[in-house]
Amino acid sequence: MENTTTHKVSTYLIIHPDDNVLVALKDLKAGTLIQHNNDKFMLATDVKAKHKFTLQNIDLNGAITMYGVVVGVALEPLAKGTAITLQNIKHASEDFSLGQRKLNWVKPDITKWQNKTFNGYHRADGSVGTANYWLVIPLVFCENRNVMVLKDALLDKLGYKKPDLYEKNVDDLVALYKAGKPIDDILNADLQIAPDQNAGTKLFSNLDGIKFLTHDLGCGGTRTDSDALCGLLAGYITHPNVAGATILSLGCQHAQASILVDQINKRDTGFNKPLIILEQQKEGTESQLMQKALKQTFAALIEVNKIERQPAPLSKLCIGLECGGSDGFSGISANPAIGLVADIIVALGGSVILAEFPELCGVEQELSDRCIDEPTALKFNDLMRVYNQRAEETGSGFYANPSPGNIRDGLITDAIKSAGAAKKAGSSPVVAVLDYPEKVTTPGLTLLCTPGNDVESTTAEVAAGANVVLFTTGLGTPTGNPVAPVVKLATNTPLAKRMPDIIDIDCGNIIEGTETLAQVADRILEHTIAVASGQIIPKAVTLGQDDFIPWKRGVSL
């Protein structure tokens, strides 16, 4: 696929010159006059905003092309000006193979960025954090309750408890009930959001928080699952945004502490962060375990609070590229905008991560050809084939990735969704391909094998080293992460206005034609630098949206 060019018109656009469909930017009625290049025709059907319609007559089984690649085939003859739907097309994508390297990347102009810095937390391994957190992690689900006991004991007293916005609402409802008010009065009560006025001040000013990462793994599954869990947790413990960790182990589970330590040393041979590992079956009673954990953790917090933010070059940024709740505008606004940001970060010597392999279906050849060498390309091709094969063996496949919300808002095949999703990666060469839960070690664009599931993918990107995540959404999703700030970008202005509590940046001006992709990309990068410096707190962080789901290696699309 060649570099995408977008030709803006008032109510519709073509994404790539080889495409045979146009994208409706607004609801269009049948009979609307369409003018494209030297061609004029009437719409044969109504077309909803974000959906596509044919630019030419397409025969039965004829290819539907968007972003310059095949994204479907016609289930019936389609007249020019017909909206494409699940009833008249189906998912299709071209096969891929080991092709010629296409590495003639034209780097963006980075003059305005090359001397900029962010203020971060410098670690002994040379990485720089955009935040400073302490982790409390169970090695097995049996320890989840004990982790929650520590959470209840620590957060409020140390000033990290989030204000309870709705407790007063419950008090009001209880009062109405006790006063004998009818159900209608309760349902129509005017409840006011009243932040907790007793929220404390942080005891440790240089520690952004203590995060508690519960999960349902560690035993009872395959050894592969428990080993992968230890690798994922090691990625978090060695993460630049993490100052240290308290690990609770039962003792008899598959996910042994020794495996975790091996995975930590694999990722950081000189690991020297505070690491507290406590085994319940050795400690005895709950009170003995909890008191030891509290004392050792508190002492470690005193030490890590001494770390302060210092200037760092933008090359120390590792950006996770993510999308969720995507819509028909994702691939023409927010995704290509952060793709430009990705190219700038790579040109500056930083790292970016593109994941969600089920959402790369149909653009495999382009990404494979962009890999720096044949072994890297072959690894990507193999991971894509094996992943899809395993999905098909269970009666599914990449074609089943689009959600009802995706389909409703114009992403009716996985290939359409994927072609737009891949724009997040910009155009730089692929320097590495990683399997889950490996960690980024090379500056540049890395492809990381993860599901398309928002939280599983974001969880894995952060374990791989992402110290900021840029997350685009067209429908609205609150996804966050416990240790890396997740910046939420709306693909359209109505979403940004409807859900301002979860959206950080509005990219809808691209659709409206009031800003260019480059202008929005500049805004995004400036915002990202401020987030990395702790000057702007993303909405997901403010909300305490600490989503963490390890991928139990199997079929998750």
Side-chain angles (χ1 to χ4, degrees):
M1 185 171 69
E2 298 176 0
N3 290 335
T4 300
T5 55
T6 300
H7 305 284
K8 177 73 172 63
V9 288
S10 58
T11 55
Y12 50 88
L13 62 79
I14 188 167
I15 296 173
H16 189 281
D18 292 340
D19 292 353
N20 60 7
V21 293
L22 297 175
V23 182
L25 301 180
K26 298 179 180 180
D27 290 346
L28 301 176
K29 292 292 186 181
T32 298
L33 176 64
I34 304 299
Q35 300 183 60
H36 176 69
N37 294 335
N38 296 322
D39 193 17
K40 295 182 180 181
F41 59 93
M42 298 290 191
L43 280 183
T45 62
D46 292 346
V47 185
K48 293 181 180 179
K50 307 181 185 180
H51 286 254
K52 293 81 186 168
F53 59 92
T54 55
L55 185 55
Q56 61 194 44
N57 294 330
I58 298 176
D59 295 333
L60 172 66
N61 296 322
I64 308 297
T65 305
M66 282 186 66
Y67 299 91
V69 298
V70 174
V71 296
V73 294
L75 294 173
E76 60 187 47
L78 300 176
K80 182 189 299 186
T82 300
I84 61 172
T85 68
L86 282 178
Q87 287 68 48
N88 59 26
I89 78 163
K90 68 177 181 179
H91 167 84
S93 61
E94 293 180 306
D95 196 10
F96 56 96
S97 60
L98 184 64
Q100 296 295 315
R101 303 301 91 216
K102 295 181 179 179
L103 306 176
N104 297 322
W105 179 47
V106 178
K107 294 184 179 182
D109 183 1
I110 56 172
T111 304
K112 66 182 292 185
W113 306 106
Q114 58 190 1
N115 293 321
K116 287 185 177 289
T117 61
F118 71 97
N119 288 325
Y121 295 95
H122 293 247
R123 307 299 182 187
D125 65 354
S127 63
V128 180
T130 61
N132 194 35
Y133 289 106
W134 185 269
L135 296 182
V136 180
I137 308 174
L139 268 180
V140 62
F141 54 81
C142 309
E143 291 298 315
N144 281 345
R145 176 184 170 276
N146 287 330
V147 168
M148 290 297 97
V149 170
L150 289 177
K151 181 177 182 179
D152 291 341
L154 289 167
L155 286 192
D156 188 22
K157 298 299 182 182
L158 300 186
Y160 294 109
K161 183 180 178 181
K162 292 290 182 182
D164 192 328
L165 300 180
Y166 303 105
E167 192 174 72
K168 178 63 166 56
N169 292 168
V170 177
D171 289 340
D172 293 341
L173 295 173
V174 169
L176 290 172
Y177 172 73
K178 288 183 175 179
K181 298 297 183 181
I183 293 292
D184 284 347
D185 284 6
I186 291 174
L187 291 175
N188 294 311
D190 184 16
L191 302 179
Q192 301 295 318
I193 294 180
D196 184 359
Q197 300 300 317
N198 298 317
T201 302
K202 292 191 301 183
L203 178 64
F204 301 112
S205 59
N206 293 322
L207 188 70
D208 292 303
I210 307 170
K211 299 297 182 177
F212 302 81
L213 311 186
T214 57
H215 56 82
D216 62 358
L217 299 175
C219 201
T222 67
R223 296 299 174 93
T224 300
D225 286 339
S226 59
D227 288 349
L229 173 67
C230 288
L232 182 82
L233 298 180
Y236 273 75
I237 294 166
T238 59
H239 194 280
N241 289 9
V242 172
T246 299
I247 311 299
L248 297 188
S249 169
L250 179 59
C252 58
Q253 73 277 353
H254 285 337
Q256 287 287 298
S258 59
I259 301 174
L260 175 66
V261 171
D262 287 344
Q263 290 292 330
I264 289 171
N265 291 330
K266 179 180 178 181
R267 286 161 175 75
D268 182 1
T269 56
F271 181 78
N272 67 348
K273 294 178 182 178
L275 182 64
I276 301 163
I277 301 177
L278 298 174
E279 187 173 303
Q280 186 174 8
Q281 290 171 345
K282 287 183 179 179
E283 297 301 331
T285 67
E286 176 191 293
S287 62
Q288 289 172 317
L289 175 68
M290 291 296 100
Q291 289 175 8
K292 192 170 186 178
L294 287 170
K295 287 186 291 186
Q296 292 190 15
T297 300
F298 193 88
L301 296 180
I302 295 172
E303 291 302 312
V304 300
N305 186 53
K306 297 175 182 177
I307 305 169
E308 297 182 354
R309 290 183 181 270
Q310 300 291 337
L314 299 188
S315 60
K316 293 297 183 179
L317 289 175
C318 180
I319 306 294
L321 307 168
E322 188 70 29
C323 58
S326 298
D327 71 347
F329 288 163
S330 294
I332 56 179
S333 63
N335 287 355
I338 68 171
L340 294 181
V341 173
D343 282 347
I344 293 170
I345 294 295
V346 170
L348 289 166
S351 305
V352 296
I353 305 170
L354 180 69
E356 301 176 289
F357 273 29
E359 297 177 11
L360 300 180
C361 177
V363 293
E364 297 98 333
Q365 192 65 59
E366 183 226 347
L367 290 171
S368 178
D369 292 347
R370 282 167 57 184
C371 291
I372 57 170
D373 54 37
E374 291 189 353
T376 304
L378 285 171
K379 183 175 181 180
F380 172 66
N381 292 358
D382 290 345
L383 283 170
M384 288 293 291
R385 291 191 192 282
V386 170
Y387 196 158
N388 188 51
Q389 179 183 344
R390 288 177 178 171
E392 289 180 343
E393 288 170 353
T394 67
S396 186
F398 285 172
Y399 68 86
N401 173 268
S403 70
N406 295 149
I407 294 167
R408 184 184 66 241
D409 274 49
L411 303 179
I412 62 175
T413 73
D414 186 51
I416 291 176
K417 182 177 180 180
S418 296
K423 303 310 294 179
K424 302 192 300 290
S427 58
S428 70
V430 175
V431 299
V433 174
L434 301 180
D435 199 0
Y436 175 90
E438 294 178 314
K439 189 166 186 175
V440 170
T441 59
T442 306
L445 169 61
T446 291
L447 304 182
L448 173 66
C449 184
T450 76
N453 177 296
D454 304 348
V455 178
E456 288 176 329
S457 181
T458 301
T459 298
E461 285 190 339
V462 175
N467 54 13
V468 177
V469 176
L470 297 180
F471 190 120
T472 70
T473 182
L475 305 177
T477 176
T479 301
N481 183 265
V483 304
V486 176
V487 178
K488 211 63 59 60
L489 302 99
T491 70
N492 60 90
T493 298
L495 168 62
K497 291 180 177 179
R498 187 172 68 253
M499 304 181 77
D501 57 326
I502 69 169
I503 298 298
D504 298 290
I505 298 175
D506 178 13
C507 299
N509 288 345
I510 296 168
I511 302 300
E512 301 298 328
T514 57
E515 273 189 300
T516 66
L517 282 171
Q519 289 171 331
V520 173
D522 281 358
R523 264 202 300 125
I524 295 169
L525 186 48
E526 290 284 8
H527 190 99
T528 301
I529 294 170
V531 167
S533 299
Q535 296 168 347
I536 293 178
I537 307 301
K539 304 292 179 61
V541 176
T542 300
L543 292 170
Q545 192 78 35
D546 293 339
D547 298 312
F548 178 80
I549 302 179
W551 182 21
K552 187 175 182 180
R553 195 62 180 261
V555 178
S556 175
L557 298 176

